[in-house]
């Protein structure tokens, strides 16, 4: 019906080895973990990842050696550590190419991609180490087709002589993967709360996969189009994946799983413990449904947000 796929089939059809991928969400908020787990299970690899502020969704891909180059501003296991551990280890060991832009420039690059701009002129980063230092050398860039040849090119403002600006590359995104609260069979998406960069990457990408908490009818989602965020023509696959953002939070529905984040943070300290963790929570379950069953109804129920507060809390306790 429409664009509805199983998670397995959506990843199998629309994610290819070597893709330039962008993920939606923000560190611990609405990250598409169910899709990332399925990418890992299917053995997809050699990605170039450029996305908004990342969390341990990307850290797992890096830890499993699936990312060839990472373009970002930061990647954190927020609330546990300021820098994701598998990312840090891979970079320190020279196993990962990484280019660093300021957060504002990175988000503007993704927006420029949605506008179809050839490059992004900015004054941001001028005078900082981000202007003088390159994470990926020009020689390394020339060996990877989907990486731009330069981090940026310094040019003169054509409307103001002597005024320097940085012309930054605009990403050419193969696949965007986003988790939303609601979607319809025709691909229309409704995001509750902050949209982050999700609309931009959905518009910019050649292929867009959306996982969602609920699928609602095309007729219902059209009744109030002012609530909708992403038009159906931008979306290739809609996947029903309740708790598909777990362990991150999904605004208005459930909070982040603090215990899970702490467990991952501890496990990611060493290669051996990290492997044990992903073997249990990713490869040890056949699909997202089995993952949810492993978590258990009681655990997930405790994550449900309290109306009026917006986060999960035990209201039976005084004080």
């Amino acid at each position: 019906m429409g664009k509805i796929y199983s998670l397995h089939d959506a990843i199998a059809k629309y994610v290819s080895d070597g893709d330039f991928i962008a993920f939606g969400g923000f560190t611990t908020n609405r990250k598409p973990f169910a899709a990332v787990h399925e990418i890992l299970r299917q053995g997809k690899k050699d990605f170039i990842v450029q996305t908004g502020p990342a969390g341990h969704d990307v850290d797992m891909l890096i830890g499993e050696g699936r990312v060839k180059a990472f373009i970002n501003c930061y990647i954190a296991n927020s609330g546990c550590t300021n820098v994701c551990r598998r990312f840090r280890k891979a970079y320190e060991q020279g196993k990962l190419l990484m280019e660093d832009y300021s957060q504002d420039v990175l988000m503007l690059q993704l927006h420029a991609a949605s506008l179809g701009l050839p490059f992004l002129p900015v004054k941001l980063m001028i005078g900082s180490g981000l202007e003088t230092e390159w994470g990926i050398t020009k020689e390394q860039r020339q060996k990877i087709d989907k990486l731009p040849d330069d981090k940026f090119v310094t040019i003169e403002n054509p409307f103001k002589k002597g005024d320097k600006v940085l012309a930054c590359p605009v990403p050419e995104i193969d696949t965007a993967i986003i988790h939303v609260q609601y979607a319809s069979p025709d691909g229309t998406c409704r995001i509750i709360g902050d949209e982050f960069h999700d609309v931009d990457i959905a518009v910019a990408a050649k292929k867009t996969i959306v996982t969602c908490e609920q699928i609602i009818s095309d007729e219902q989602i059209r009744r109030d189009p002012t609530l909708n965020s992403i038009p159906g023509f931008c979306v290739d696959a809609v996947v029903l994946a309740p708790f598909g953002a777990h362990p991150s939070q999904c605004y208005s529905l459930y909070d982040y799983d603090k215990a899970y984040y702490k467990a991952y943070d501890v496990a990611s300290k060493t290669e051996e413990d990290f492997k044990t963790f992903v073997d249990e929570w990713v490869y040890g379950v056949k699909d997202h449904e089995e993952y949810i069953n492993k978590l258990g109804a009681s655990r997930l129920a405790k994550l449900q947000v309290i109306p009026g507060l917006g986060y999960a809390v035990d209201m039976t306790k005084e004080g």
Side-chain angles (χ1 to χ4, degrees):
M1 181 171 64
K3 298 176 180 179
I4 298 176
Y5 286 77
S6 69
L7 183 56
H8 175 278
D9 290 351
I11 298 301
K13 182 173 182 178
Y14 293 112
V15 177
S16 301
D17 290 351
D19 270 356
F20 195 121
I21 289 187
F23 295 102
F26 189 103
T27 55
T28 61
N29 197 326
R30 226 172 12 81
K31 301 298 292 181
F33 274 98
V36 170
H37 291 170
E38 186 59 30
I39 288 171
L40 287 168
R41 282 192 288 267
Q42 292 192 23
K44 308 283 187 174
K45 62 184 187 301
D46 294 333
F47 301 121
I48 296 171
V49 176
Q50 180 168 355
T51 190
H56 87 249
D57 52 334
V58 177
D59 195 54
M60 285 194 297
L61 290 169
I62 292 171
E64 284 294 273
R66 308 300 182 84
V67 179
K68 184 185 298 183
F70 184 46
I71 303 167
N72 208 249
C73 51
Y74 72 88
I75 175 171
N77 197 27
S78 293
C80 295
T81 185
N82 291 331
V83 179
C84 282
R85 300 182 189 279
R86 290 296 95 198
F87 154 77
R88 181 169 185 164
K89 181 62 69 174
Y91 186 70
E92 287 177 344
Q93 293 179 342
K95 296 179 179 179
L96 175 71
L97 295 176
M98 191 270 183
E99 189 57 82
D100 191 15
Y101 290 91
S102 63
Q103 183 174 328
D104 39 21
V105 168
L106 187 122
M107 300 298 265
L108 287 170
Q109 284 177 303
L110 297 175
H111 184 56
S114 74
L115 298 175
L117 298 179
F119 62 88
L120 172 72
V122 297
K123 288 206 163 188
L124 305 162
M125 303 195 306
I126 292 178
S128 74
L130 293 172
E131 179 188 10
T132 58
E133 302 294 333
W134 287 28
I136 307 176
T137 67
K138 195 173 183 69
E139 291 72 26
Q140 290 169 324
R141 290 169 174 274
Q142 291 173 347
K143 296 176 183 178
I144 301 176
D145 290 340
K146 293 185 178 182
L147 279 180
D149 290 340
D150 299 281
K151 179 179 182 179
F152 58 81
V153 175
T154 302
I155 63 173
E156 184 176 79
N157 179 350
F159 301 103
K160 189 175 182 181
K161 189 174 181 179
D163 187 34
K164 182 177 75 171
V165 298
L166 304 182
C168 296
V170 173
E172 297 181 9
I173 303 168
D174 293 311
T175 306
I177 302 179
I178 299 163
H179 186 76
V180 305
Q181 286 89 348
Y182 309 105
S184 66
D186 74 355
T188 303
C189 298
R190 183 170 293 175
I191 297 174
I192 310 301
D194 201 325
E195 296 174 341
F196 306 117
H197 56 287
D198 295 25
V199 177
D200 284 335
I201 64 174
V203 172
K206 299 169 187 173
K207 305 165 288 182
T208 297
I209 298 171
V210 169
T211 58
C212 64
E213 295 293 324
Q214 293 183 29
I215 293 177
I216 57 180
S217 70
D218 294 334
E219 293 73 22
Q220 180 68 25
I221 209 166
R222 290 170 185 158
R223 288 181 182 177
D224 194 347
T226 63
L227 298 177
N228 299 332
S229 307
I230 299 173
F233 61 78
C234 293
V235 176
D236 296 280
V238 174
V239 176
L240 177 62
F243 289 96
H246 181 276
S248 67
Q249 61 186 316
C250 190
Y251 181 75
S252 84
L253 297 177
Y254 52 89
D255 211 337
Y256 74 100
D257 191 332
K258 185 176 181 179
Y260 193 103
Y261 271 93
K262 285 185 174 181
Y264 179 81
D265 187 61
V266 172
S268 63
K269 288 181 180 180
T270 68
E271 181 75 13
E272 182 180 3
D273 289 344
F274 170 73
K275 293 293 186 183
T276 299
F277 187 93
V278 294
D279 282 346
E280 179 181 0
W281 289 102
V282 180
Y283 306 122
V285 293
K286 68 177 182 179
D287 54 25
H288 181 62
E289 183 176 356
E290 194 168 299
Y291 171 83
I292 293 301
N293 288 337
K294 179 177 173 64
L295 288 167
S298 177
R299 180 173 184 169
L300 295 175
K302 291 177 182 177
L303 299 177
Q304 292 182 334
V305 302
I306 302 300
L309 295 180
Y311 54 89
V313 64
D314 187 349
M315 297 294 286
T316 66
K317 294 181 178 179
E318 295 184 1

